[in-house]
Amino acid sequence: MPPTEHRPITPRAGAFAVFVSALWSGNPIAIKAGLEHAPPLRLGWYRFVAGAVVIIVWALYTRADLRVRRSELPVLITLGVLFSIQLVFMNLGLKYTTAGHGSVLSVTHPIWVALLAHFFIPGDRLAPSRIFGILVAYTGVVVISLDGLGGDASGEVLFGDILSIIAGFLLGARQIFNARQAGKIDPNKLLLAQAVFGTLVFIPAGLIFEGEAWIMNKELAISIFYQGAVIAGFGFTANLWLI
């Protein structure tokens, strides 16, 4: 893979990156709200289906080639497994921790992306200014994690925090994996493969392990739309393009 070509960020590109990050910060809150009405695995495949619809519409609009070739299967399956594991950690973490903690810890993926890119993306090196920024960000994560850990539920919150930060790391690793493959496989195909794989895994797993009643209401529908259409659809596409 040739070295990454770096270009100075423009005000428009910077504003778009901040906008996408702001959208991502609302995702844990949407998941936390959705967990009030649906169990983690069921909420997961709801999200996959909603995200897949957006990705398919975009792929059709851009006339992307979605045909899967045999040589692409190992990459797509690996990506699907990584995606499914990451979402399990994120949903379970948000089930136990607070919405505030989850919002910060689940979206630590830009920190992990910056670190992992240094080792896995040719030409994307850690400059001193980036190292300083990462240290500042980690300090903020530690402060947020320590805040509110007192009380009877502190053990449960800490467990949720650990799961959430693992989810953030896995999301960062998945973004790097996506970036390395985007030049070889159509990005729409990469994103759609994750949604399809996750749906095929989460539906039977939910039927086996989750016995909660099936309901649908306005709050759950809004939660699914946000984490599915806005994040798993638009957000994933935008993040992959930015990387």
Side-chain angles (χ1 to χ4, degrees):
M1 179 180 293
T4 302
E5 179 186 352
H6 295 284
R7 293 176 294 176
I9 190 168
T10 64
R12 176 181 290 186
F16 182 68
V18 172
F19 172 68
V20 173
S21 297
L23 290 179
W24 270 93
S25 68
N27 188 50
I29 299 173
I31 294 174
K32 187 74 173 178
L35 288 170
E36 296 292 326
H37 309 281
L41 295 176
R42 189 184 306 162
L43 188 63
W45 70 258
Y46 281 161
R47 178 190 185 187
F48 295 146
V49 172
V53 171
V54 174
I55 295 167
I56 290 173
V57 170
W58 178 249
L60 293 174
Y61 175 75
T62 57
R63 298 182 179 179
D65 181 9
L66 296 179
R67 292 173 296 177
V68 177
R69 294 165 178 81
R70 183 174 298 180
S71 61
E72 297 171 341
L73 282 175
V75 170
L76 298 178
I77 291 174
T78 300
L79 200 53
V81 170
L82 184 59
F83 183 42
S84 300
I85 294 174
Q86 179 252 320
L87 198 70
V88 168
F89 274 96
M90 183 168 65
N91 281 14
L92 286 178
L94 286 165
K95 181 178 180 180
Y96 292 107
T97 192
T98 64
H101 282 207
S103 296
V104 174
L105 299 175
S106 294
V107 295
T108 54
H109 65 275
I111 302 174
W112 302 113
V113 167
L115 287 173
L116 293 171
H118 177 79
F119 299 101
F120 296 104
I121 303 294
D124 199 340
R125 319 310 292 174
L126 279 175
S129 59
R130 296 178 72 182
I131 294 175
F132 175 75
I134 288 172
L135 291 175
V136 171
Y138 269 121
T139 301
V141 170
V142 171
V143 171
I144 291 294
S145 299
L146 294 177
D147 177 50
L149 284 181
D152 296 336
S154 60
E156 189 173 272
V157 171
L158 180 60
F159 177 63
D161 286 353
I162 293 171
L163 295 179
S164 295
I165 203 165
I166 292 174
F169 172 79
L170 292 174
L171 178 54
R174 184 163 59 82
Q175 297 282 24
I176 293 296
F177 189 84
N178 268 325
R180 288 180 60 88
Q181 301 300 325
K184 307 170 188 176
I185 303 176
D186 188 289
N188 295 286
K189 196 185 301 184
L190 292 172
L191 296 175
L192 191 58
Q194 296 170 74
V196 171
F197 188 93
T199 301
L200 294 177
V201 171
F202 275 46
I203 287 180
L207 292 174
I208 293 172
F209 298 109
E210 296 175 339
E212 288 87 342
W214 291 69
I215 63 170
M216 179 57 67
N217 52 38
K218 182 178 69 175
E219 290 78 13
L220 181 57
I222 293 174
S223 169
I224 294 169
F225 174 79
Y226 192 92
Q227 59 182 293
V230 176
I231 301 300
F234 171 77
F236 282 173
T237 303
N239 259 353
L240 191 55
W241 177 79
L242 284 168
I243 293 175

